[in-house]
Amino acid sequence: MTYDTIKVERRGAVTLVTFDRPKALNALSSAVLADLTEAFAACDADDSQRCLVLTGSEKAFAAGADIKEMAPQSFGDMYGSNFFAGWEAVTRTRKPWIAAVAGYALGGGCEVAMMADILIAADTAVFGQPEIKLGVIPGMGGSQRLTHAIGKAKAMEMILTGRNMKAAEAEASGLVAKVVPADSLIDEAMKMAETIAAMPPLAAMAAKEAVNGTYEMTLAQGINFERRVFHGLFGTEDQKEGMAAFSEKRAGDFKGR
Ligand code: CAA
């Protein structure tokens, strides 16, 4: 399957998706959203694929939603089409996925990166929510996810002033899991994705569901949910294989059943 705005490559059990609108710094148009949701859904539906990496170019992961596409829209256009609601599909991806960010991750670019299960940054990465300078506010979850990730103090400051945050500060603030040299970003992201891909896939999906549950549930609900999911994994063949492999001092061979 080929796409107009992204490149998709299967590397073993990992799907590598690369934004491919270099002239617009990977601005997230409606066409990008359509391509991305199809590629993510294809990965989810493919038993041979166990993890996904989303990346951009050296200069820009994505410089935001497509300002030129949005500029002429009226309230009626935006409200009527429920503009940006389609991005929810990306957040419903069941397999674990990693955003590997180099260069600009601004506005919608920062928001997509924050939808990922794990965010890895190159030392060149720049995060920001500059929408206020355009007379709007974040519209793809930034006001919520940035605040969850780095706390109200810094999120409010960034969103009200439009100030950007470089990679080192993003790591210190808890926005990203890891900062790596720009020239090893893809290798590092692929290495992490391959590690995840070697894990029992049902446990991996369940783990991300449990962690993401912290956004939606109280502590008591979340702990109860975690325990039930933990119990449920005892119904899988991979749990038997994983625990047998431990006793037999060998690597587990996980089938996703
Ligand atoms: N939408 C549409 N086109 C964009 C774009 C965007 N978000 N960001 C960059 N581009 C285009 C530019 O218009 C330019 O195109 P032309 O060559 O046709 O003029 C091309 O990409 C290269 O950009 P620059 O010449 O501006 O490159 P630069 O190196 O001088 O600056 C930048 C880089 C600082 C990232 C600058 O491009 C910029 O500020 N971009 C906009 C960032 C922004 O405001 N993002 C938020 C968008 S709104 C949003 O995302 C809403 C939401 O909540 C989802």
Side-chain angles (χ1 to χ4, degrees), residues 21-28 59-60 62-70 83-84 87 104-111 128-134 136-142 164:
R21 289 190 76 203
K23 287 187 185 141
L25 300 186
N26 296 327
L28 304 168
K59 180 165 180 184
D66 193 318
I67 298 169
K68 291 165 190 170
E69 183 180 77
M70 290 185 296
F83 200 77
F84 285 159
W87 287 96
Y104 295 112
L106 301 179
C110 184
E111 291 169 295
Q129 299 288 166
E131 289 90 344
I132 195 153
K133 296 181 189 168
L134 302 168
V136 291
I137 67 167
M140 286 163 49
N164 292 338

Side-chain angles (χ1 to χ4, degrees), residues 143-185:
S143 65
Q144 307 303 299
R145 289 196 180 91
L146 188 64
T147 309
H148 276 287
I150 67 173
K152 177 185 163 184
K154 271 182 186 277
M156 188 69 94
E157 184 226 341
M158 286 178 72
I159 289 168
L160 283 179
T161 67
R163 156 176 104 78
N164 292 338
M165 180 184 261
K166 292 186 178 161
E169 187 185 357
E171 186 181 27
S173 305
L175 181 61
V176 310
K178 192 172 177 178
V179 178
V180 299
D183 58 7
S184 61
L185 177 67

